Amino acid sequence: MSASKEDDGGLAKTDEIPNAGFRLPPEMLQAMQDVFPSNDPLDKPDFSVVDYINGLFPTEQSLSNIDDAIFKVKTEIRDLDAEIRDTLHQQTEAGDEGQRALRNAQGAIAQLFVQIRDIKQKAEKSEEVVKEITCDIKQLDHAKKNLTASITTLNHLHMLVGGVDTLEYCLLFSFCSNGGTWRRFVRR
């Protein structure tokens, strides 16, 4: 590292400061700033350690208050550690709640599958019943057609027998009225 110039009584600014971490894209930094707005200079994307320390201790005389600055930084670190612990605890609880919700959802899905299987089985049974009823209806329909044909045939037979009876009666009446002789009927 090469020093470029000396600030008025503070630490020297350097031309190059090694980058110990990684740099996030500006879009992501802006998104983080939008979600978690902060006025803390440590959160700025262009944070400079040297400028920060020079701002805390601009002159050599200000170094006499270093114990107060250290106490303030340690207090801030403790507060941040407590906040991190609380956040982790909340995340753990949220993870547990998420696991419970996932188990509940999986149980509901399993029940839904059981209900779907039951409905499918009932539908298959209903389909079999419908097939049986349809077969029975077809048999009854054939029986009805056969019965109707039989009744019609019996009616025709009845009419034929009635006609034969009438003819016999007419012939017998004609035979009797002619003195027992048969007459020939000729159609004209």
Side-chain angles (χ1 to χ4, degrees):
M1 289 202 286
S2 60
S4 61
K5 64 179 181 179
E6 185 79 26
D7 251 356
D8 43 339
L11 295 175
K13 285 189 174 182
T14 60
D15 289 334
E16 291 182 22
I17 298 177
N19 187 359
F22 61 93
R23 285 202 152 310
L24 295 174
E27 300 85 25
M28 184 171 285
L29 291 173
Q30 183 60 42
M32 288 171 50
Q33 184 65 25
D34 291 344
V35 174
F36 302 109
S38 174
N39 294 328
D40 193 347
L42 297 174
D43 291 336
K44 293 184 180 178
D46 57 348
F47 174 75
S48 170
V49 176
V50 174
D51 289 341
Y52 183 71
I53 292 175
N54 283 338
L56 287 176
F57 306 107
T59 62
E60 285 185 30
Q61 289 79 19
S62 62
L63 288 174
S64 64
N65 296 331
I66 196 164
D67 291 334
D68 293 337
I70 290 173
F71 178 75
K72 182 180 173 186
V73 169
K74 284 184 178 181
T75 302
E76 192 173 327
I77 290 171
R78 257 194 321 272
D79 292 345
L80 287 173
D81 285 343
E83 187 178 333
I84 289 170
R85 273 192 305 276
D86 290 345
T87 302
L88 287 174
H89 182 68
Q90 290 173 356
Q91 288 296 327
T92 302
E93 288 177 358
D96 291 344
E97 289 175 17
Q99 289 294 327
R100 277 193 297 275
L102 180 62
R103 283 192 299 274
N104 290 342
Q106 287 172 338
I109 289 171
Q111 288 176 349
L112 185 61
F113 279 131
V114 168
Q115 289 175 349
I116 288 171
R117 187 183 64 228
D118 290 345
I119 290 171
K120 183 179 177 186
Q121 289 173 348
K122 288 178 183 177
E124 289 171 353
K125 288 179 183 177
S126 296
E127 186 176 341
E128 288 298 319
V129 169
V130 166
K131 285 180 181 178
E132 290 174 7
I133 290 173
T134 304
C135 183
D136 291 343
I137 289 173
K138 285 180 181 177
Q139 288 177 347
L140 289 173
D141 190 44
H142 290 309
K144 176 186 166 194
K145 287 178 184 175
N146 291 337
L147 185 61
T148 303
S150 297
I151 290 173
T152 303
T153 304
L154 285 175
N155 279 336
H156 290 151
L157 182 61
H158 177 68
M159 288 171 34
L160 186 63
V161 167
V164 168
D165 285 343
T166 303
L167 282 174
E168 283 179 353
Y169 175 75
C170 285
L171 284 175
L172 185 60
F173 181 73
S174 175
F175 178 74
C176 291
S177 62
N178 284 332
T181 60
W182 287 103
R183 263 202 275 167
R184 217 170 183 186
F185 293 100
V186 178
R187 279 186 157 181
R188 293 193 183 165

